[in-house]
Amino acid sequence: GAGVSQSPSNKVTEKGKDVELRCDPISGHTALYWYRQSLGQGLEFLIYFQGNSAPDKSGLPSDRFSAERTGGSVSTLTIQRTQQEDSAVYLCASSLFGVGWEQYFGPGTRLTVT
Amino acid sequence: GQQLNQSPQSMFIQEGEDVSMNCTSSSIFNTWLWYKQDPGEGPVLLIALYKAGELTSNGRLTAQFGITRKDSFLNISASIPSDVGIYFCAPNTGNQFYFGTGTSLTVIP
């Protein structure tokens, strides 16, 4: 079956512009996660959605970052007024249920802010 | 707060050698997962451990869930070039989950 997909695969934007990154999780997965990964670095947790519960936003680095998950499926991560330090790969993952279940990752969106 | 340490940060080994990496934490966990990330891709689950003391193998991979529930190790035997990548431990308990900082493995043919 289809895995987690993310779009776009690459995004180059000018400093100060807003960007939207999309994640399509595996159908039927109730949990969705966003991470950020800088070059050669580990995974930085951003936000976690589980079913109809309020999302865990504890990892969002600033109020320029926000995410929503519509209809319990597709998710969009929005970064407003992008800064050069936002340049990274943004990874999305989904799992059948919540924490403790295997996370299936998408290929990521490489964001470059010039 | 919780501290999770993964080591080593990087390894350069000859093909055929065995590899060992580990994660230790200041907190106890119910589950330890190990993921591998190939260059340019997202991480993929290698092994899942659900019980303290559990030792699990998956081909050339062996992982153990420490008896104290605060640590785990991953061993790779007889490394091959396709083992190259970054390996992450990912412990979790309740609604708390973490990823280690990763071990970057380079295998020299």
Side-chain angles (χ1 to χ4, degrees):
Chain A
V4 177
S5 61
Q6 293 185 244
S7 60
S9 55
N10 282 283
K11 176 71 175 178
V12 180
T13 190
E14 291 181 353
K15 176 181 174 181
K17 296 288 180 73
D18 298 352
V19 295
E20 287 189 349
L21 312 180
R22 177 186 169 106
C23 173
D24 284 84
I26 294 173
S27 177
H29 279 196
T30 65
L32 187 147
Y33 315 73
W34 282 98
Y35 298 88
R36 178 168 69 175
Q37 186 174 35
S38 299
L39 185 64
Q41 301 298 310
L43 300 175
E44 177 187 5
F45 165 73
L46 297 178
I47 189 169
Y48 161 58
F49 296 89
Q50 170 53 45
N52 296 320
S53 302
D56 177 355
K57 304 180 181 180
S58 60
L60 294 179
S62 77
D63 58 8
R64 295 187 296 105
F65 288 73
S66 63
E68 61 179 22
R69 188 180 185 194
T70 54
S73 181
V74 172
S75 177
T76 301
L77 176 69
T78 301
I79 308 173
Q80 296 179 310
R81 305 181 302 281
T82 52
Q83 303 294 313
Q84 288 187 329
E85 60 263 29
D86 298 335
S87 297
V89 174
Y90 290 81
L91 290 163
C92 172
S94 70
S95 62
L96 183 58
F97 296 111
V99 172
W101 289 78
E102 175 181 1
Q103 294 184 34
Y104 294 80
F105 284 80
T109 293
R110 179 174 298 278
L111 175 66
T112 303
V113 182
T114 62
Chain B
Q2 196 287 130
Q3 292 185 343
L4 180 63
N5 297 304
Q6 182 170 352
S7 65
Q9 182 176 359
S10 63
M11 302 181 73
F12 293 81
I13 62 169
Q14 293 285 339
E15 182 177 358
E17 290 183 350
D18 297 343
V19 172
S20 184
M21 61 192 77
N22 70 86
C23 283
T24 60
S25 87
S26 56
S27 303
I28 61 174
F29 290 102
N30 292 335
T31 303
W32 282 87
L33 307 177
W34 284 90
Y35 288 82
K36 181 197 177 192
Q37 184 177 26
D38 288 332
E41 300 182 12
V44 174
L45 183 69
L46 295 176
I47 286 182
L49 303 161
Y50 298 105
K51 185 177 178 180
E54 179 181 0
L55 181 71
T56 296
S57 293
N58 179 5
R60 294 179 297 106
L61 307 178
T62 301
Q64 183 158 30
F65 189 153
I67 195 69
T68 66
R69 296 168 61 192
K70 292 184 178 181
D71 62 334
S72 177
F73 71 73
L74 174 70
N75 289 342
I76 305 172
S77 63
S79 59
I80 60 178
S82 62
D83 291 333
V84 165
I86 304 176
Y87 293 78
F88 295 99
C89 63
N92 62 77
T93 190
N95 279 329
Q96 301 298 314
F97 62 99
Y98 304 90
F99 276 83
T101 50
T103 295
S104 175
L105 178 63
T106 300
V107 179
I108 303 167

